[in-house]
Amino acid sequence: MYRTLSLKVGNWLAAAGRTGHFLTDTARSVRDVPTWAGLTVAQMRRIGVDSVPIALFIAIFTGIVLSLQASYTFTGAVPLYFVGTLVGKTVMLELGPVLTGLALAGRVGANIAAELGTMRVTEQIDALETLAYDPLSYLVVPRVLAAAIMFPIVVSLAILVGIISGWLTAISLLDLSTVEFVRGLKLFYQFKDIWFGLVKSFSFGVVIALIGCFKGLSVRGGAAGVGRATTEAVVASAMAILVLDAFWAVVLL
Amino acid sequence: MIEFKEVYKSFGDRQVLRGFSLSVQDGETVVILGYSGSGKSVALKHVVGLLEPDAGEVIVDGEVVHQLDREGLTRLRAKIGFVFQFAALLDSMTVRENLELGLKRRGLSRAEIDERIKEALELVDLEDVEDRYPAELSGGMRKRVGIARAIALRPRYILYDEPTTGLDPVTSAVIDRLIVRAREKLNVTGLVVTHDLRSAYTVADRIALLYQGRIRQVGSVESIRNSHDPVVRQFIEGRPEALADVEQAAGGVR
Ligand SMILES: Nc1ncnc2c1ncn2[C@@H]1O[C@H](COP(=O)(O)OP(=O)(O)OP(=O)(O)O)[C@@H](O)[C@H]1O
Ligand SMILES: [Mg+2]
């Protein structure tokens, strides 16, 4: 009992140590600008641009549902233009960043973990190292930077489209005019609503990419190992997003 | 010079190297023979710091590999070409891009890079493959691209992990000649892992037999061919039925 416990703590400390090493070494690799500079642009396309369709798909349906549910909730008691307020606030503060983040944890996190994991088990990472490349500057830094830059952009688009979709729903299916919707939208609006969402999505991007890279690079064993790492990356990213979401709410609101 | 000094390496409870010692002088080609799974690839990976010894050390040009920091390791790797057993080509890149990767890192000009790629592919007898992806090549072609990737760098050391396994006899002979020429013309120091005895006899200055985690015997091609050690005889004659006798004759080596 005592032994298994101390063994567990030991394993846990070792894992924490590896993670710490990975983070500090990655931070150090950022100095190696010539290696990652060219590669980051390609990753921005893969991680960011290619994620736009799924982000917008989610945003459109979120906008529709929020609009309808708000009007259902407010029947009679609250003026209907509050639909605009609710759609705006929820999309900007919570659903835009978090739903997009969760979808991208699946898309981007799994993609990175599977790619790097396959490279690991087929010795491609070893090959890079023997060619005098540092896998951290060559593979990890471009992915993390690309995610850090592109997540806020993708989320901004999602927020914009979510609000537009909520507005279109309101004027076509509800008894609400554009003027009223916009009035509701502006009601409690603060500039902070925008940057709060962007800070969150920036942190989601960094964490999803880091987890995907770490899980991918530490794969052991063949195809089964890659599968396991991919699943772990998605689960860990999703959990990290929810924890970070709460963290920012406590710290910034 | 590459020196293995009493290297021990285990994976879990599997002890792979148990006091492995071997030195490779500048300008010579040493062949490591050994049974499948005896730890030949593991030994090679220690030279470039892909694996770290549990005990003992590997010394290249006076530097202890596992004590180098990241910059030191990068410097070391820049003078070593590594031919992987399974080629390990980057599969998201074409053959040309695979070869370019290491050359770009050395800051060569465009013209020189093109020149070296052309030359290296000719040396391994490959044509018209520059724009193909590794998945579109046969196993033997991939292997040769892996060799071309290492020799294009014109490194001082080349480590070949089974360069001729899976190739037809004629192509194998081409690769053997390439290894010999690399030593004669470019004064490359070579460490070759192989099962292929014909290839070993052709390219080696010295042959070492890895057996049960250590070097059983090392010496010139002649001395290995004429060895009286039953373990060595057993290996070069390839007689499976003699294995039990050998274990006994070897005096209970375990
Ligand atoms: N990364 C690793 N993790 C765990 N075990 C390993 C690892 N690499 C090698 N081994 C084990 O070490 C032993 C030696 O492997 P190695 O690849 O060096 O054999 P080899 O002599 O090159 O054989 P072959 O001629 O078949 O290539 C094997 O039992 C293998 O299972
Ligand atoms: Mg091997």
Side-chain angles (χ1 to χ4, degrees):
Chain A
M1 171 69 195
Y2 222 65
R3 267 200 36 194
T4 52
L5 193 70
S6 68
L7 212 69
K8 269 208 179 118
V9 172
N11 282 343
W12 189 83
L13 283 179
R18 274 198 304 277
T19 315
H21 261 291
F22 173 73
L23 292 179
T24 49
D25 286 346
T26 303
R28 213 172 298 139
S29 302
V30 174
R31 285 183 311 186
D32 187 4
V33 180
T35 303
W36 56 256
L39 298 161
T40 305
V41 177
Q43 290 304 327
M44 282 165 68
R45 176 169 324 119
R46 279 183 56 188
I47 291 175
V49 180
D50 294 352
S51 295
V52 169
I54 175 76
L56 298 193
F57 184 84
I58 293 173
I60 289 170
F61 284 90
T62 313
I64 295 173
V65 171
L66 278 178
S67 205
L68 295 176
Q69 288 183 348
S71 98
Y72 166 79
T73 313
F74 296 156
T75 351
V78 183
L80 202 55
Y81 63 81
F82 269 94
V83 169
T85 317
L86 190 124
V87 169
K89 283 274 179 186
T90 347
V91 168
M92 281 189 273
L93 292 179
E94 180 67 13
L95 293 185
V98 172
L99 286 185
T100 311
L102 288 174
L104 295 206
R107 214 196 83 85
V108 174
N111 181 302
I112 293 177
E115 185 186 13
L116 299 199
T118 305
M119 290 179 75
R120 166 62 81 199
V121 299
T122 54
E123 298 187 318
Q124 293 179 51
I125 308 255
D126 289 349
L128 270 177
E129 290 195 53
T130 60
L131 293 169
Y133 283 87
D134 172 5
L136 296 180
S137 352
Y138 191 83
L139 298 170
V140 177
V141 174
R143 284 167 175 74
V144 174
L145 285 182
I149 297 167
M150 295 311 285
F151 267 53
I153 296 176
V154 174
V155 167
S156 308
L157 277 175
I159 290 173
L160 188 68
V161 168
I163 291 174
I164 291 174
S165 129
W167 160 67
L168 289 176
T169 310
I171 59 172
S172 52
L173 298 181
L174 304 175
D175 201 6
L176 203 64
S177 69
T178 301
V179 178
E180 282 177 303
F181 185 88
V182 172
R183 179 168 157 217
L185 199 58
K186 284 182 177 167
L187 196 56
F188 297 109
Y189 169 78
Q190 305 172 29
F191 180 55
K192 192 178 183 181
D193 296 353
I194 300 276
W195 67 253
F196 180 68
L198 296 189
V199 167
K200 285 212 283 197
S201 45
F202 168 84
S203 69
F204 296 167
V206 171
V207 165
I208 290 174
L210 278 175
I211 291 177
C213 289
F214 181 70
K215 292 288 180 190
L217 289 180
S218 28
V219 165
R220 295 271 173 281
V226 176
R228 213 176 309 120
T230 308
T231 312
E232 282 172 13
V234 174
V235 172
S237 305
M239 281 167 32
I241 286 177
L242 297 176
V243 172
L244 272 176
D245 191 36
F247 169 81
W248 288 124
V250 171
V251 173
L252 289 181
L253 289 188
Chain B
M1 188 164 92
I2 302 174
E3 259 184 298
F4 294 85
K5 281 193 175 164
E6 286 289 307
V7 175
Y8 284 81
K9 180 70 183 178
S10 311
F11 296 99
D13 337 321
R14 243 201 87 82
Q15 297 183 309
V16 180
L17 299 180
R18 291 181 268 174
F20 179 90
S21 297
L22 178 69
S23 65
V24 184
Q25 304 300 324
D26 284 338
E28 76 169 340
T29 299
V30 172
V31 168
I32 301 180
L33 296 174
Y35 290 97
S36 185
S38 58
K40 304 182 297 295
S41 300
V42 167
L44 277 197
K45 285 182 182 168
H46 280 84
V47 179
V48 284
L50 290 175
L51 292 174
E52 280 189 14
D54 299 333
E57 53 195 27
V58 180
I59 302 172
V60 180
D61 291 344
E63 292 182 304
V64 177
V65 176
H66 70 268
Q67 288 171 358
L68 291 170
D69 58 9
R70 275 148 51 89
E71 284 80 29
L73 205 51
T74 304
R75 244 186 306 109
L76 171 81
R77 285 167 174 168
K79 46 188 179 186
I80 301 178
F82 197 111
V83 178
F84 284 84
Q85 185 169 0
F86 304 105
L89 304 178
L90 288 136
D91 56 19
S92 60
M93 298 183 178
T94 62
V95 168
R96 177 197 303 284
E97 288 164 338
N98 264 284
L99 267 68
E100 267 175 3
L101 210 55
L103 296 169
K104 273 195 199 150
R105 192 70 177 166
R106 283 167 167 65
L108 298 177
S109 71
R110 188 68 249 172
E112 184 150 11
I113 289 179
D114 289 341
E115 172 67 36
R116 290 230 196 155
I117 291 177
K118 194 162 162 283
E119 183 200 65
L121 288 175
E122 267 169 22
L123 279 172
V124 296
D125 229 0
L126 280 175
E127 277 161 27
D128 295 331
V129 295
E130 278 106 322
D131 297 319
R132 291 211 236 162
Y133 285 90
E136 301 164 355
L137 302 177
S138 77
M141 289 163 92
R142 255 176 258 165
K143 185 135 224 174
R144 283 181 281 159
V145 174
I147 296 172
R149 185 171 67 181
I151 57 174
L153 302 170
R154 304 210 182 129
R156 282 191 33 223
Y157 299 97
I158 305 188
L159 314 179
Y160 305 87
D161 197 346
E162 308 203 4
T164 56
T165 310
L167 299 182
D168 62 82
V170 176
T171 314
S172 294
V174 170
I175 299 301
D176 289 344
R177 205 175 56 207
L178 176 78
I179 296 174
V180 172
R181 270 208 233 138
R183 181 196 56 204
E184 285 175 353
K185 295 239 172 73
L186 305 170
N187 199 30
V188 169
T189 306
L191 189 52
V192 184
V193 160
T194 189
H195 292 131
D196 179 349
L197 287 172
R198 203 180 61 167
S199 163
Y201 296 152
T202 316
V203 304
D205 293 311
R206 288 190 300 143
I207 295 181
L209 179 73
L210 171 58
Y211 185 71
Q212 296 189 340
R214 350 178 18 129
I215 292 299
R216 179 76 187 193
Q217 186 181 351
V218 54
S220 66
V221 175
E222 276 314 297
S223 72
I224 293 290
R225 292 182 90 155
N226 302 325
S227 172
H228 296 300
D229 182 334
V231 172
V232 177
R233 290 237 63 80
Q234 149 87 20
F235 187 88
I236 60 180
E237 286 165 13
R239 288 176 294 119
E241 72 281 5
L243 198 59
D245 313 347
V246 165
E247 300 266 86
Q248 275 194 335
V253 181
R254 262 270 89 184

